[in-house]
Amino acid sequence: MASVRARAQRSLNVWPGYVDALATLLLAVVFLLTVFVVGQFFLSQELTGRDAVLNRLNRQIADLTDLLALERSSRRAQEEAASGLRNTLTATEAERDRLRALADASEAASGKSADVDAQLAAERGATQRAQNQVELLNEQIRALRRQLAALEDALAASETRDRESQARIAELGSRLNVALAQRVQELARYRSDFFGRLRQVIGSRTDVRIVGDRFVLQSEVLFAAGSAALKPEAGPELDRIAGAILDIAKEIPADIPWVLRVDGHTDARPIQSAQFPSNWALSAARAIAVVQYLRSKGLPPQRLLAGAFGEFQPLDSGTSEEAYSRNRRIEMKLTER
């Protein structure tokens, strides 16, 4: 009897250990939640800093583009001025050569007879004036050459600044591309979470599936044949999808330009009715009906996009009823604007 009582006491002493284990597990969960909240805070601070850097880079690129346009305009004006100076220099040199030829002819005439002494004196006076004019023209030519040299130096400096501006613009463009690539990677992470939650929503259903980066619903799940009005039984399916999208939307930062694209597809058999003159019209109406329903469930309208492909993007190229059924579908894709 005493041994039975001892065993009973030993079995009752196990419960404090269970209580300690549960308390330790609770403390670990609280610690992990604290770490997650702190991580989210620092992540949001980092994204805000990246936005500021991205905006500053955009402003710098715009300023450099304006500066480059101004430099190019100045260089064109300088080139036009240099061309005018070269033309003036050419005309001046031609005039100088003509005056020199005239002076040489006057000096050759000095050896003629005495009857032309008076004319020779006049020619000498003209020659002296021509020589003085030649000297003046030479001085003008030297001044023009100095101006041309200064313009060429200015053009070389402008070309150097142009190359430096181009290099800086290329560097800023590269940095901008890196920043944009980081945004795309962030959106890809949320897209992965989006598809993970949708897989939980759809479970093992065969008429609702994920193909690549798209979420595919067969039209028969949502619409009657040849109609763009949602069936009553389509509501619960779209409600679960809308709930998953709203959960993901709360986690995506507001500065990431994401949209949910809803695309309508039909099979290859043409439709011609007063309401839908083509398969394009039917696929567009169905996509718009889904978008409007999601909007009624709280999704922001600026995050919704309706597209229509008609029969031109088939999943199955066959002509059987099964192939037609696969091609009649609504596709959803989380993508950037």
Side-chain angles (χ1 to χ4, degrees):
M1 190 67 181
S3 63
V4 171
R5 220 181 267 114
R7 282 196 302 270
Q9 290 176 354
R10 281 197 302 271
S11 65
L12 291 175
N13 289 334
V14 176
W15 287 106
Y18 287 154
V19 172
D20 291 340
L22 290 175
T24 303
L25 179 59
L26 180 60
L27 289 175
V29 169
V30 171
F31 174 75
L32 289 176
L33 288 175
T34 304
V35 170
F36 176 75
V37 171
V38 172
Q40 287 292 101
F41 172 77
F42 283 110
L43 178 59
S44 64
Q45 294 295 322
E46 182 67 20
L47 290 177
T48 302
R50 289 181 182 175
D51 288 339
V53 172
L54 186 62
N55 292 332
R56 187 172 64 256
L57 289 176
N58 285 329
R59 288 194 299 271
Q60 290 178 356
I61 288 176
D63 293 340
L64 286 174
T65 302
D66 295 339
L67 180 60
L68 180 59
L70 182 61
E71 287 291 339
R72 286 177 175 170
S73 176
S74 175
R75 186 175 66 181
R76 284 194 297 270
Q78 291 173 350
E79 288 175 350
E80 292 174 358
S83 177
L85 288 174
R86 289 191 182 95
N87 294 334
T88 303
L89 178 60
T90 302
T92 304
E93 289 176 343
E95 180 66 18
R96 183 193 61 184
D97 294 338
R98 188 185 68 80
L99 291 174
R100 280 181 178 173
L102 181 60
D104 293 340
S106 298
E107 290 177 357
S110 62
K112 294 183 179 180
S113 64
D115 294 337
V116 294
D117 286 344
Q119 184 179 359
L120 182 58
E123 289 291 339
R124 284 176 179 171
T127 299
Q128 185 61 41
R129 288 192 300 272
Q131 288 178 348
N132 293 336
Q133 192 171 1
V134 167
E135 290 298 329
L136 179 61
L137 290 174
N138 286 335
E139 183 62 30
Q140 292 178 354
I141 289 172
R142 286 191 289 270
L144 288 174
R145 285 177 175 168
R146 287 194 295 270
Q147 291 180 12
L148 282 175
L151 284 174
E152 289 174 353
D153 293 340
L155 286 174
S158 177
E159 290 175 353
T160 301
R161 289 194 298 270
D162 191 5
R163 287 192 295 271
E164 292 175 353
S165 297
Q166 291 283 8
R168 191 170 180 188
I169 287 175
E171 179 186 358
L172 290 175
S174 176
R175 293 169 63 183
L176 180 60
N177 289 334
V178 170
L180 292 176
Q182 291 176 347
R183 290 295 177 145
V184 172
Q185 292 176 356
E186 292 174 6
L187 182 59
R189 178 170 65 85
Y190 291 111
R191 186 185 296 122
S192 177
D193 294 342
F194 170 67
F195 282 114
R197 297 195 184 185
L198 287 181
R199 285 190 180 93
Q200 295 177 358
V201 169
I202 65 177
S204 59
R205 295 189 54 169
T206 58
D207 53 356
V208 182
R209 63 190 188 280
I210 293 175
V211 178
D213 61 349
R214 295 159 296 158
F215 179 64
V216 180
L217 298 89
Q218 297 307 129
S219 293
E220 287 77 4
V221 177
L222 306 176
F223 304 100
S227 172
L230 289 169
K231 295 181 182 178
E233 56 267 28
E237 297 295 335
L238 292 178
D239 289 345
R240 287 195 291 269
I241 295 171
I245 298 171
L246 286 171
D247 290 340
I248 292 295
K250 295 175 183 177
E251 301 177 7
I252 301 178
D255 54 355
I256 294 181
W258 68 273
V259 293
L260 179 70
R261 199 178 82 184
V262 180
D263 296 329
H265 298 262
T266 66
D267 58 34
R269 292 175 294 188
I271 181 173
Q272 290 184 351
S273 64
Q275 186 178 6
F276 305 114
S278 66
N279 286 344
W280 252 333
L282 176 59
S283 62
R286 287 179 170 179
I288 292 172
V290 173
V291 164
Q292 290 175 336
Y293 187 87
L294 295 177
R295 170 69 182 92
S296 69
K297 294 302 177 181
L299 267 72
Q302 66 272 19
R303 300 295 188 185
L304 295 172
L305 171 65
F309 288 91
E311 71 272 26
F312 301 108
Q313 295 289 337
L315 293 178
D316 193 330
S317 59
T319 57
S320 64
E321 186 59 37
E322 182 180 356
Y324 288 149
S325 177
R326 289 191 63 207
N327 292 332
R328 294 191 301 269
R329 64 196 188 279
I330 293 291
E331 294 183 353
M332 298 183 184
K333 179 178 180 180
L334 189 68
T335 185
E336 62 271 13
R337 186 171 63 244

